Amino acid sequence: MLNALFGIGWMVSQALLWAAVGAAIDHGVVDHNSGKLFLWVGVVMSLGLFQAFCGVLRHQLAVTNWMSATYRTIQLIGRHIFLYGHGLTEEIPPATS
């Protein structure tokens, strides 16, 4: 659940980043207004930092989930081999056609 929230934050900030760049160009560069330009540059930087923060936490949680699932799979296979391992060493007769 938390991973999904960080993923949403990462994607929304990525989408809004280019809207903020466009607003910085429209309101700051085209209108020759340095105050608005610095305001929108601050918004772009804030969105970039938020995207980096969400991206790092999203990746950390994804790797944690992957490692947890891998460990549980290893436990399940190990338990199955422990309980039914004798069946793995029995010879299987060849199939006749």
Side-chain angles (χ1 to χ4, degrees):
M1 163 95 176
L2 200 57
N3 198 2
L5 291 176
F6 286 127
I8 290 169
W10 181 69
M11 293 295 283
V12 168
S13 63
Q14 186 173 6
L16 291 177
L17 184 74
W18 295 109
V21 168
I25 292 171
D26 290 342
H27 300 295
V29 176
V30 173
D31 294 343
H32 302 290
N33 187 343
S34 59
K36 292 268 187 176
L37 179 64
F38 286 126
L39 172 75
W40 283 106
V41 166
V43 170
V44 168
M45 290 180 64
S46 299
L47 284 170
L49 289 172
F50 183 71
Q51 182 181 9
F53 175 75
C54 286
V56 165
L57 291 178
R58 181 188 62 86
H59 181 70
Q60 176 65 39
L61 288 172
V63 170
T64 301
N65 288 339
W66 169 59
M67 295 295 284
S68 177
T70 302
Y71 182 68
R72 280 189 243 135
T73 302
I74 290 170
Q75 281 182 322
L76 180 68
I77 291 172
R79 189 175 304 120
H80 187 76
I81 289 173
F82 175 74
L83 294 174
Y84 305 108
H86 58 84
L88 295 174
T89 58
E90 294 175 0
E91 185 177 333
I92 299 173
T96 57
S97 316

